[in-house]
Amino acid sequence: MRLEEGDAGRPATETGDEELWAGICAGIEADFATLFRRHNKVVYNFAFRSTASWSLAEDITQATFATLWRRARERTVDPLRRDSAVPILLSMARHEVMNTTRGNQRRLRLVHKIEDQGPGYDNNVSEWVEQEAGMAQVHMVLNRLPENQRAVIELVVWSGLELAEGAEILKIPVGTVKSRLSRAKKKLATTEVAHLLGGEAS
């Protein structure tokens, strides 16, 4: 099952993330559901870019929100420090990615399953596998970077976080995020993924 961004149930302008987060901390399921619908796609995309696997991305997204709800019930949810819940959700998702031990095994099993079915099995799934293969190639290029530089690419460039938000997740100064991003862009400027990096760091 692919996770999709759906109707939040209430207009986004009516209830901000801060209010929803307070509701989640109080154990209100409706607020949790609204937050999930509002932000599951950005978590899902982050997880896919981090793993190059649709199936792992789904698992990580579900695990991220399941962990959030478990912590809410235990009254151990971290406070929201910004007006958006995205930075803290991506921090949780990054933790799930780092804890993933299955690697690409599920992706490879999916590829083999499709090959066993023969041509014409499912065009949509075939497209997903093609996208996974493309992301795997991107990973090969990004692996030339130190892990700390890859992290800022994933958070700031691909996920669209502000430098300060990336710094909060990585627990480093904003200046360090900016310098790592600049070094990463310079190293990748002449590679096949340069077009994915956007403009210069500011």
Side-chain angles (χ1 to χ4, degrees):
M1 178 187 69
R2 294 283 302 280
L3 297 175
E4 299 293 343
E5 185 176 36
D7 180 12
R10 288 178 284 187
T13 55
E14 182 179 314
T15 306
D17 284 4
E18 294 167 297
E19 186 176 342
L20 292 176
W21 200 262
I24 290 169
C25 291
I28 300 175
E29 293 188 27
D31 287 340
F32 172 79
T34 299
L35 193 83
F36 172 81
R37 294 182 184 123
R38 185 175 296 174
H39 294 311
N40 78 78
K41 188 173 182 179
V42 69
V43 174
Y44 189 81
N45 287 339
F46 170 81
F48 172 64
R49 288 163 177 161
S50 298
T51 64
S53 168
W54 291 119
S55 57
L56 284 178
E58 181 175 334
D59 289 346
I60 288 166
T61 302
Q62 293 176 345
T64 298
F65 282 95
T67 298
L68 174 60
W69 185 242
R70 174 180 57 77
R71 291 180 180 174
R73 294 175 66 87
E74 296 172 350
R75 301 294 192 267
T76 59
V77 176
D78 293 333
L80 197 65
R81 298 182 178 87
R82 300 181 180 275
D83 58 4
S84 170
V86 170
I88 196 167
L89 289 173
L90 292 190
S91 179
M92 294 173 65
R94 185 169 182 267
H95 180 75
E96 295 292 345
V97 169
M98 294 173 68
N99 283 344
T100 298
T101 58
R102 288 167 291 180
N104 289 324
Q105 292 179 2
R106 289 190 60 181
R107 180 178 67 84
L108 294 175
R109 286 200 297 271
L110 176 60
V111 171
H112 294 155
K113 179 178 180 180
I114 292 172
E115 290 174 346
D116 292 342
Q117 295 291 335
Y121 168 62
D122 189 324
N123 289 335
N124 288 334
V125 175
S126 297
E127 290 175 5
W128 296 351
V129 172
E130 183 177 351
Q131 290 171 350
E132 287 186 344
M135 186 55 66
Q137 292 178 335
V138 171
H139 273 209
M140 290 180 63
V141 177
L142 291 183
N143 282 339
R144 303 172 192 172
L145 299 175
E147 192 280 333
N148 56 19
Q149 292 180 19
R150 292 199 304 272
V152 297
I153 291 293
E154 292 171 353
L155 292 170
V156 177
V157 177
W158 284 350
S159 298
L161 296 186
E162 299 293 333
L163 293 175
E165 293 172 332
E168 183 177 312
I169 291 174
L170 297 172
K171 296 179 173 58
I172 56 177
V174 173
T176 302
V177 173
K178 187 173 182 179
S179 63
R180 288 179 183 176
L181 181 59
S182 178
R183 289 197 297 271
K185 286 188 172 186
K186 286 179 182 177
K187 290 179 182 177
L188 298 174
T190 59
T191 70
E192 53 269 46
V193 302
H195 66 289
L196 301 175
L197 301 180
E200 293 298 323
S202 58

